[in-house]
Each structure stands twice: as C-alpha cells, then as structure tokens.
Amino acid sequence: MITIEDVSKIYGTMVAVDHVSMSLEPNSITVIVGTSGSGKSTLLRMINRLIPPTSGRILINGLDTASLPATELRRRIGYAIQGHGLFPHYTVADNIATVPNLLGWPKARIAGRVEELLTLFHLPPETFAHKYPHQLSGGQQQRVGVARALAAEPELLLMDEPFGALDPVIRAKAQDDLLDIQRRFGTSIVLVTHDMDEAFHLGHRIAVMKQGKLVDFGSPTTILTEPKDPFTSQLTGTLDRSLKLMSLKQLADFAVPGDTIGAETLPATLSLRDALAEFVWRGLKVASVVDSDGRQLGQITLDALLAQGRRP
Amino acid sequence: MKGGALLFRAVLAGCLGVLILAPELFIGLFRWLNRPDAPPIYPYDSLLWLTVSHLGLVLIATSAGAIVAIAAAIFVTRPSGAEFLPLSRVLTNTGQTFPPVAVLALAVPAVGFGVAPTLIALFLYGLLPIFENSVAGLQRVPEQITEAADGMGMTAGQRLRKVDLPLALPLIVEGIKIAMVINIGTATIGSTVAAKGLGEVIIAGLLSDNMAFILHGGLIVGLMAVLFYDLMGYFENFLKRRLGLTGSGD
C-alpha cells in the first residue's frame, strides 16, 4: 500500500508536481498518464527518491520513505525504464543479478533466481545467460530490463515508459507478459505512460496528471464514463470512447445460454472490442463463445455486444 | 589484409629487437652513413640498458600522471567537484603548453641534474591527454545507464566502480596511449640533463656529427612508439568490443 500525501516538487519557480495526494491499492497496476511535462515521471521518481520531494510524504506500508537511506529504499523497489538501461559490460545473468548482489544474497540463491526469471521471460538460460545486451534484440533487452527490476522480489515495481522504445507488435506482447507476471507474483506496479491504449490495457486504476496536478484518478471505466476533468476526456479521446469501453470487458463475462449450433465461434478471452471487430469482419449476427479447450460457454448476439458499448 | 598487417608488425618488432640487441647486423648500413673514421655503433653504453632505462622513465612518469589525472577526472565529474572542472582544464592545459625543455631548465636548479627533472617534465606532459580522455569517458556514460544504477540502489562508490569506470575505460586507455607515445619521444631530451635514455645516443650523434648514432637512436625510439601505439590500440578495441561499442563482434 503506497500513500502519497500532499507531495510537491518545485524547481526554482517551476512547479513540476503540485500538491498530489493519492493512495495506490496493493497488488494492482496503477497507470499514471499525462502529456509530457505533466509531472508524471517526476512523481514516479519521487517514490524511490531518485528525486527528493520539495514537500509532502510518501508512505509504503505505513513507513515514511524518507526514514530509510535512499539506497536501501531503492533496493526494495523494482525500477524499469524506457530503453531498459542495461549495463553493456555485464552479461544478461549479471545484469539480472544486480540488486540481489547489492543485497548480498548467497550465490546459489542468485543463480536460482536468475534462472527462474530467464525461464519466466521465455529466454532459455543456456542460450541467454552469458550473452551481452548488445547481442539481444530490442524486445529481449526490454524483457531482461523487467527481469532485472523483479530480481530481488520487490513488492513494488516502478516503470517509466517501459515499452516506449518497442515496435507495436513486440509492445503488445510485452504488455501481455507484464499482465501475466503481475497476476503471478501479485506485485504492485506503478507505470508511467503517455499511451492511452496502454493505460487502458494495463491499468486497474488510472491517474491523470496535468501541469503537475492530479486531475483524475479511478478505474478505467470510471475515467472513461465519468471524467472529473475535461482534460481526461481530451486524453481518452471522445471519438472512440465506446470502443475503449468495450476493450475493458471480456467476452467470457457476456456469454448467455442459447442455441448456437452452426454459429461461428469466438474465444472467450477476446475483449468485446476485438469481438466486435470479428463480428464486422465476418458479418455475424450471433457467435458461439468457446474457452481455450473449445468447450462452449454460451452465445452472444450482435445487439447484446453493441449494448455494452453504449453510454452507461 | 589481416595476415599482411600482422606480418608487418612482426617485421617492425624484429627490426626493433635487432637494433637493440644485435646492432652489428646493421653495421654495413651504419658504416656507409658515416665518415670512415667514426664508430658506426654507439660504444659507450649498452643499448639494452639505455632502452630499459628510457622505458622505465616513461612508465614511471606516465603511471604517476595517469593516477593523478584519473583521480582528478573522477573528482570533477562528481556533483561535488563539478565546479573545479574549468580550473583543472586550465592546469592540465598549462602542463601541455609548457615546452618540456623549459620544464627541464626550470626543474634542474630546483631538483638537480639526473632523473628527477625528466620525470617532472614527462609527468606534466602526460596529464592533459589522460585527464581530458577520462573526463570525456566519464561524462559520456549514457544517462539511462547511470539512472538505472541509481534506481537499483547503488551507492555513489558502487556506481563509480561497477558502472562509470568500466564504461569509461576504453577512452581512459586511449588517453594513456597518447600520453605514453608522446612521452616515449619526449624522454629523449632527458639526456640533456643526464637522465639515462636513448636520447644519449642521438645527442652524442648530433655533437660528433655521427649520422649512424642519430639514426640508430631515432629508429629505436620511433619503432617503440609505433609498436606501443599499436599494442594499446589493440587493447582499446578489445575493450570496446566487449562493451558492444563497435560492430557486431561476439
């Protein structure tokens, strides 16, 4: 549980972060969005004290972060940045082992953890452990960057535009991997991005920042349907808000019993937005919803689908 | 091409070895350059001893220069020392601008004849290239990488040892290479103030109009500088390849 209490950051006469207060729920992903210069990165960096706040307090599980030495605080918090920031003179294994080494873990425990993370990120240890970062593709470097941030089993992971340097295909894959890992470890994640689609895809809660102020904070659905600030609707874009709303819902939750013999099938894990695209593409009126083993869960009609994108 | 370059180096190194250890093999060439009555090969001291002494002077002075220059570069690239960067630049530049002969002339009255004034001149001469290269190397560590190091909880000392210095190393080595090569040449003037070195052979040749001495001394110094440059350059490229800074090398 992270509590940000009335935190400000002032550079000379420029107010970068202006009296921000918010509580972040544990074991969830909070995405901070905003245009460049909105103070979102500054706010993130104040959590691990890369930037000291001018005023206000940040508490992690009730403990004031200012009461710990900065290096000790940072070793407890995972940190992943755009362009990964891997050490070019360290092998992949040594990069991942950075924080465990700083914490003085025993060698065997470090080796085990490195192997576990490499496997988890689909980088077979026997192939990748001894490579240098410049021998990897952009997507692989980024995965090593996230693995390194998670190495010391932090409860909290901070990510600053972690997928910004990736091409769209690899980015989508990286986002799904992150969701998997978050579900598996229950890590609390605070992620900064200017990409609204990324925010809606990843965020359990979305914080909107504008000129240093927190102008909106809530679940993706709330942000979309009940924006507290005109800037929120500007960011989320009003043109495709119905589609954004549908992208937040999963087909599995809307399948109803019905006679679907002969109907075309759609996987239950599809978002309603992607399901709609399939309806349009295949010219469907009704589809059968099936799980990953092909078992039928029910059906969904075009009308029922469209109703879910309508203004609440 | 690669084999050819290697062969060329081997020939140069061979020539250097013969010139130092068995100059008699070139006696025909040296005799031809000289008046018939002049000695073709420097007879007053062992060339091996002069070469060892010459390189010793260079190594001691450049190592001392490297220690001071790298320490200063580390200091001025830390936040606490940043304001001293312009001042350090002025000081090391002055060291370079001052002619080495003038340094000798000023140092002799203070420390006497012999090795000491030569070491001082060479020390001052090595400072600038090592300092400037080390500063550039430390400043050029990408911000993403230093931020990652800070963000993971490295202390300032840990970051310097584990990240900044290793990444700046190729440029630091390049600075040492330049200082070394300059000093191998400059050390010859040390012989004017009685420091043992290969300058002795060249100066003896100039004084007695002995072309063989001049050429012999000059060739040894020149070949040493070229081969040393090559060797350090090889080391530098090895470091760069390890960091993935050049090409796609494995």
Side-chain angles (χ1 to χ4, degrees):
Chain A
M1 172 78 155
I2 307 167
T3 315
I4 297 175
E5 283 182 5
D6 199 27
V7 163
S8 296
K9 180 68 195 179
I10 300 166
Y11 294 105
T13 54
M14 210 261 300
V15 182
V17 172
D18 194 356
H19 297 285
V20 169
S21 295
M22 63 200 284
S23 297
L24 311 182
E25 281 166 24
N27 314 114
S28 70
I29 303 181
T30 305
V31 180
I32 307 176
V33 295
T35 49
S36 48
S38 61
K40 57 189 192 300
S41 280
T42 309
L43 183 64
L44 185 82
R45 283 165 210 211
M46 284 194 285
I47 298 176
N48 67 359
R49 280 174 59 202
L50 278 178
I51 297 176
T54 307
S55 64
R57 297 198 305 165
I58 296 173
L59 310 169
I60 298 181
N61 295 331
L63 181 74
D64 189 342
T65 54
S67 67
L68 284 174
T71 51
E72 195 181 313
L73 174 73
R74 290 175 197 155
R75 287 171 196 175
R76 291 189 189 181
I77 299 176
Y79 187 55
I81 53 178
Q82 178 170 13
H84 62 75
L86 294 178
F87 301 135
H89 58 305
Y90 278 18
T91 60
V92 165
D94 289 340
N95 262 293
I96 295 176
T98 306
V99 182
N101 270 320
L102 290 174
L103 291 170
W105 283 18
K107 286 239 167 344
R109 184 176 173 203
I110 296 178
R113 180 66 177 160
V114 167
E115 201 174 309
E116 179 190 354
L117 282 166
L118 281 173
T119 312
L120 190 64
F121 280 90
H122 316 295
L123 299 164
E126 59 281 6
T127 316
F128 286 94
H130 301 291
K131 288 201 174 192
Y132 285 90
H134 69 94
Q135 297 169 315
L136 307 182
S137 71
Q140 290 165 345
Q141 290 172 339
Q142 191 277 336
R143 274 181 271 165
V144 175
V146 179
R148 181 175 69 171
L150 290 169
E153 298 164 0
E155 281 175 41
L156 172 63
L157 172 60
L158 307 179
M159 308 183 90
D160 193 353
E161 307 241 1
F163 310 126
L166 301 179
D167 67 57
V169 176
I170 298 175
R171 182 185 310 187
K173 175 83 178 73
Q175 290 167 346
D176 290 337
D177 285 349
L178 183 70
L179 285 173
D180 272 350
I181 280 166
Q182 197 277 332
R183 265 180 234 126
R184 181 186 292 242
F185 293 124
T187 316
S188 307
I189 298 178
V190 184
L191 183 146
V192 160
T193 183
H194 61 255
D195 177 348
M196 286 310 293
D197 289 326
E198 182 165 285
F200 278 97
H201 185 41
L202 297 178
H204 299 119
R205 303 249 275 162
I206 297 179
V208 181
M209 288 194 65
K210 176 192 175 190
Q211 292 168 359
K213 288 193 172 70
L214 179 71
V215 293
D216 216 333
F217 185 38
S219 70
T221 315
T222 323
I223 291 283
L224 207 54
T225 53
E226 302 158 37
K228 290 195 197 68
D229 191 278
F231 182 68
T232 306
S233 359
Q234 206 182 317
L235 262 190
T236 53
T238 44
L239 272 180
D240 65 344
R241 55 191 165 187
S242 66
L243 294 177
K244 280 220 174 70
L245 193 58
M246 291 174 78
S247 76
L248 297 171
K249 302 174 184 177
Q250 228 186 9
L251 200 49
D253 302 329
F254 298 93
V256 293
D259 174 26
T260 56
I261 294 165
E264 297 224 21
T265 59
L266 290 176
T269 51
L270 231 47
S271 76
L272 294 190
R273 177 193 188 138
D274 294 343
L276 177 64
E278 284 302 313
F279 267 76
V280 174
W281 186 250
R282 303 194 208 168
L284 305 180
K285 292 271 181 261
V286 63
S288 166
V289 180
V290 295
D291 66 13
S292 53
D293 300 324
R295 273 190 306 255
Q296 198 205 326
L297 300 177
Q299 64 159 5
I300 187 161
T301 62
L302 180 59
D303 285 339
L305 192 57
L306 292 178
Q308 290 306 321
R310 209 155 292 144
R311 181 197 338 232
Chain B
M1 171 63 203
K2 240 186 166 172
L6 202 65
L7 183 69
F8 184 61
R9 280 168 202 161
V11 169
L12 287 188
C15 284
L16 181 63
V18 170
L19 282 169
I20 294 169
L21 297 169
E24 311 80 39
L25 291 180
F26 286 117
I27 204 161
L29 172 72
F30 289 140
R31 207 183 288 286
W32 174 73
L33 283 167
N34 259 2
R35 286 171 285 125
D37 58 326
I41 289 168
Y42 191 67
Y44 306 111
D45 218 331
S46 133
L47 283 166
L48 179 62
W49 162 236
L50 289 178
T51 308
V52 169
S53 168
H54 189 100
L55 277 182
L57 281 175
V58 172
L59 283 176
I60 293 169
T62 314
S63 309
I67 291 168
V68 172
I70 295 170
I74 291 171
F75 175 64
V76 300
T77 49
R78 300 307 100 186
S80 54
E83 52 185 309
F84 292 98
L85 180 57
L87 177 68
S88 320
R89 283 230 156 101
V90 170
L91 286 178
T92 52
N93 271 299
T94 315
Q96 192 77 5
T97 329
F98 229 69
V101 177
V103 176
L104 290 184
L106 290 172
V108 166
V111 297
F113 282 93
V115 172
T118 314
L119 284 178
I120 293 175
L122 297 184
F123 167 79
L124 290 177
Y125 244 51
L127 284 180
L128 177 81
I130 303 176
F131 175 77
E132 282 298 334
N133 269 47
S134 306
V135 168
L138 289 168
Q139 281 178 340
R140 266 186 228 168
V141 176
E143 204 181 324
Q144 274 178 2
I145 292 175
T146 55
E147 197 192 313
D150 289 340
M152 282 186 293
M154 287 194 188
T155 62
Q158 284 168 335
R159 199 186 95 187
L160 181 67
R161 271 184 292 116
K162 291 169 190 265
V163 179
D164 293 349
L165 280 178
L167 292 182
L169 197 58
L171 269 176
I172 296 176
V173 168
E174 186 189 79
I176 295 176
K177 172 181 82 177
I178 296 168
M180 208 80 176
V181 169
I182 292 176
N183 279 347
I184 288 177
T186 312
T188 51
I189 63 153
S191 305
T192 58
V193 293
K196 279 280 169 207
L198 291 162
E200 203 176 298
V201 183
I202 298 171
I203 289 165
L206 290 170
L207 291 177
S208 61
D209 193 20
N210 186 323
M211 187 56 101
F213 287 4
I214 300 175
L215 190 69
H216 196 173
L219 276 175
I220 296 178
V221 172
L223 283 175
M224 278 199 314
V226 169
L227 285 169
F228 203 84
Y229 187 86
D230 196 54
L231 198 69
M232 291 287 277
Y234 185 79
F235 181 49
E236 206 184 305
N237 282 332
F238 164 77
L239 290 172
K240 280 187 191 160
R241 263 202 313 278
R242 261 201 51 198
L243 299 181
L245 296 177
T246 48
S248 61
D250 269 26

